[in-house]
């Protein structure tokens, strides 16, 4: 695999576990359900960004960077993992966070503070629109900043998911497993683009199904087009001839609900169900919504009984603590 030759800075624990979801499978009586635990990547409570950062920060170190700049929402898991990785590597970290500083920090934001990051609040700008100004300022202060794009979804970030599919392939060989579908939360596109490319490079015939969790901003490149372009640029970067068109992209836009980070009944049900049937923590923004989508697809019998569906858990549980009120957790049924 060409990704084997890319520089990679060790930041997490790989391979992440692969586990059967026995009680959940029983509950739906349908296809066999399995989970890939990227919530257990090990870097500061884990998540899919750890994979991306292993490739991206190796590039930053090679470029002689002393400062990392990235952006996200106030409860960004990407920013929390970037902050932790920067601390590990002794790099200064600047986070460009959307919205306004809350009265009290909780969840991921509390952890960002703990890692000693410099936080820049940007009001309505959620996706790093203010990064160029901050980079100019850091340069004028004599620093050598390196920008990690929103969500870590650069070509290198996406290529980390080619490596992730190879990791899964090795586990499948070892345990004699195969999957017909991989379902996951898709938001800045790196995970999705990398899995599409990885599937093709490994010549697998499973369906890569991203559940879109974000409406996007008006004026932005449509998300599907963004994923395809990122997959194509990532392929080109490693000298692969593979190119993708819309027919090959499976992006489900049916579960965006109230928009980014807005918890509705479907997310609440999914989070409670996984906690109560499997003891697994999903998150309110990404995996709760993706699992809600998967549950709906199971109820609508979109899979056949012989399918083997892998839910790729991308992390995010630290945000649960920032959603204590909106989660409004139900009491168990009376005894
Ligand atoms: C960032 C993130 C995603 C989405 O991954 P992308 O590569 O940005 O599409 C999914 N789940 C969690 C928990 C995340 O933090």
């Amino acid at each position: 695999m060409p990704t084997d030759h890319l520089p990679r800075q060790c930041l997490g624990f790989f391979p992440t576990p692969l586990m059967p979801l026995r009680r959940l499978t029983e509950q739906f009586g349908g296809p066999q359900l399995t989970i890939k635990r990227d919530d257990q990547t090990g870097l500061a409570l884990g998540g899919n960004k750890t994979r991306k950062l292993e490739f991206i920060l190796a590039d930053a170190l090679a470029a002689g960077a002393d400062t990392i700049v990235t952006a996200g929402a106030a409860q960004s898991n990407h920013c929390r993992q970037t902050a932790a990785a920067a601390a590990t590597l002794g790099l200064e970290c600047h986070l460009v966070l959307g919205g306004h500083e809350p009265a009290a920090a909780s969840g991921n934001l509390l952890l960002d503070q703990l890692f000693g990051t410099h936080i820049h609040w940007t009001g309505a700008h959620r996706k790093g629109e203010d990064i160029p100004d901050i980079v100019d300022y850091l340069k004028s202060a004599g620093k050598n900043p390196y920008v990690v794009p929103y969500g870590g979804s650069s070509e290198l970030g996406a290529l980390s998911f080619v490596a992730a599919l190879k990791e899964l392939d090795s586990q499948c060989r070892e345990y004699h497993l195969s999957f017909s579908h991989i379902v996951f939360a898709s938001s800045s596109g790196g995970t999705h683009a990398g899995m599409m490319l990885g599937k093709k490079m490994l010549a697998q015939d499973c369906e890569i199904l991203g559940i879109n969790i974000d409406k996007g901003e008006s004026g932005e490149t449509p998300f599907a087009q963004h994923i395809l372009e990122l997959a194509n640029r990532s392929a080109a970067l490693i000298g692969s001839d593979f190119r993708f068109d819309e027919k090959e992209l499976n992006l489900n836009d049916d579960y965006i609900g109230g928009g980014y980070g807005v918890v509705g009944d479907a997310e609440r049900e999914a989070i409670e169900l996984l906690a109560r049937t499997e003891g697994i923590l999903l998150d309110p923004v990404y995996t709760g919504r993706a699992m809600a989508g998967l549950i709906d697809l199971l109820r609508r019998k979109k899979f056949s009984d012989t399918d083997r569906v892998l839910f790729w858990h991308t992390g995010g549980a630290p945000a649960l603590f920032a959603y204590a009120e909106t989660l409004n957790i139900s009491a168990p049924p009376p005894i």
Side-chain angles (χ1 to χ4, degrees):
M1 287 287 275
T3 48
D4 294 346
H5 307 298
L6 290 170
R8 184 169 180 173
Q9 170 64 47
C10 175
L11 293 168
F13 304 140
F14 299 102
T16 56
L18 195 59
M19 298 166 55
L21 291 171
R22 286 207 183 84
R23 296 207 335 119
L24 196 70
T25 301
E26 214 170 275
Q27 176 137 351
F28 287 99
Q32 201 175 72
L33 304 172
T34 305
I35 193 165
K36 174 76 168 155
R37 300 294 303 273
D38 270 13
D39 57 323
Q40 303 292 324
T41 57
L43 178 69
L45 305 180
N48 64 338
K49 303 312 182 302
T50 306
R51 292 186 183 278
K52 298 178 178 186
L53 289 164
E54 288 205 338
F55 288 79
I56 295 171
L57 294 187
D59 187 50
L61 292 174
D66 55 16
T67 304
I68 302 299
V69 185
T70 198
Q75 284 300 326
S76 166
N77 302 298
H78 163 66
C79 287
R80 181 243 315 154
Q81 288 162 84
T82 304
T88 306
L89 300 173
L91 303 169
E92 187 172 302
C93 181
H94 288 255
L95 299 179
V96 181
L97 301 184
H100 300 278
E101 184 173 9
S106 63
N108 283 303
L109 180 58
L110 178 75
L111 303 181
D112 296 342
Q113 292 182 345
L114 199 53
F115 294 122
T117 56
H118 301 263
I119 297 176
H120 308 260
W121 293 99
T122 64
H125 293 164
R126 179 158 66 95
K127 299 195 173 174
E129 294 86 337
D130 304 78
I131 284 180
D133 288 346
I134 290 165
V135 165
D136 285 347
Y137 168 74
L138 290 168
K139 283 184 179 161
S140 72
K143 315 247 179 217
N144 187 10
Y146 182 99
V147 175
V148 178
Y150 178 77
S153 285
S154 61
E155 292 82 351
L156 287 175
L159 288 169
S160 75
F161 268 89
V162 174
L165 276 210
K166 193 185 158 203
E167 174 187 305
L168 176 68
D169 188 57
S170 303
Q171 288 177 310
C172 285
R173 284 167 198 272
E174 186 176 346
Y175 305 123
H176 306 288
L177 296 170
S178 71
F179 297 105
S180 56
H181 299 76
I182 301 179
V183 179
F184 56 97
S186 194
S187 166
S188 70
T191 302
H192 203 148
M195 283 198 196
M196 284 177 73
L197 181 57
K199 166 196 152 153
K200 222 165 184 173
M201 296 184 79
L202 291 159
Q204 288 170 345
D205 65 356
C206 78
E207 185 177 323
I208 305 292
L209 175 56
I211 307 287
N212 189 2
I213 61 93
D214 191 349
K215 267 198 199 76
E217 314 277 328
S218 64
E220 240 176 22
T221 309
F223 186 46
Q225 190 188 330
H226 170 77
I227 295 171
L228 291 171
E229 287 173 1
L230 181 57
N232 290 339
R233 290 200 312 272
S234 305
L237 185 69
I238 50 170
S240 151
D241 292 333
F242 290 127
R243 293 297 178 271
F244 298 88
D245 62 37
E246 252 157 66
K247 291 189 297 293
E248 292 167 276
L249 179 69
N250 282 306
L251 178 68
N252 185 317
D253 291 323
D254 293 342
Y255 302 104
I256 294 171
Y260 182 84
V262 180
V263 174
D265 290 339
E267 290 83 18
R268 192 172 293 118
E269 183 203 8
I271 292 169
E272 282 187 7
L273 186 63
L274 263 282
R276 293 173 189 195
T277 58
E278 297 284 352
I280 289 175
L281 298 173
L282 299 178
D283 82 283
V285 181
Y286 300 92
T287 54
R289 182 161 288 172
M291 180 56 80
L294 174 56
I295 289 169
D296 187 62
L297 295 172
L298 287 165
R299 288 186 177 139
R300 291 166 184 272
K301 303 278 175 216
K302 293 287 179 189
F303 303 99
S304 79
D305 284 351
T306 54
D307 280 340
R308 287 121 12 242
V309 178
L310 178 68
F311 182 78
W312 199 297
H313 192 327
T314 44
L320 282 171
F321 303 105
Y323 278 79
E325 280 165 36
T326 29
L327 270 176
N328 194 16
I329 297 159
S330 72
I335 301 162

